[in-house]
Amino acid sequence: MELTATPVPESRRVTSTAIESLLDLAAIVILCLGVAASITVLAWVGIVGLGMACWLILGSFLNWLVFRALAEVIRLLKRSVDLDYAGRISGSYVDTVMTCSNCGAILRSDVCCDSCGARLTKVDPKD
């Protein structure tokens, strides 16, 4: 008797240290360092350094924005070729993947399960 299974949608959270996560972390660190540097300039120089402090905050914000945009682009590129990515793409909250009803592995094919070898049957949308 041939082993068969049906695709089951299941949401899973992917946890790993990917480059997009590191870019997000670097963005936050740069923003915090910029704010700390501007506060330091104001403390040392006083009101005379207000212009420099504003430029430091603006520069760190723009760096934060660029790093976050790079992380977003990497996530979108990974999603476009069906690779797992860390973090969340703006505007999306839950990603549904098809899993094998026999072993629970994520399905990469519409024909059979790569993990247990079960042949996949079509799911009736009325069910």
Side-chain angles (χ1 to χ4, degrees), residues 16 20 28 32 35 37 40 43 49 53 62 67 72 83 89 105 117:
S16 67
E20 57 270 19
I28 292 170
C32 292
V35 170
T40 304
L62 292 176
F67 275 51
E72 184 86 2
L83 291 175
I89 295 175

Side-chain angles (χ1 to χ4, degrees), residues 34-53:
V35 170
S38 65
I39 291 171
T40 304
V41 165
L42 284 175
W44 282 359
V45 180
I47 197 71
V48 177
L50 184 61
M52 180 183 255

Side-chain angles (χ1 to χ4, degrees), residues 29-107:
V29 168
I30 286 174
L31 187 62
C32 292
L33 287 175
V35 170
S38 65
I39 291 171
T40 304
V41 165
L42 284 175
W44 282 359
V45 180
I47 197 71
V48 177
L50 184 61
M52 180 183 255
C54 288
W55 280 111
L56 282 170
I57 289 177
L58 179 64
S60 62
F61 173 75
L62 292 176
N63 280 318
W64 171 81
L65 192 61
V66 167
F67 275 51
R68 293 295 306 261
L70 287 172
E72 184 86 2
V73 167
I74 290 172
R75 287 185 190 103
L76 289 170
L77 288 171
K78 283 185 172 183
R79 186 172 86 177
S80 70
V81 293
D82 293 330
L83 291 175
D84 294 333
Y85 54 89
R88 184 174 61 88
I89 295 175
S90 299
S92 66
Y93 301 101
V94 175
D95 191 19
T96 302
V97 294
M98 299 307 279
T99 59
C100 178
S101 64
N102 189 42
C103 68
I106 295 175
L107 295 176

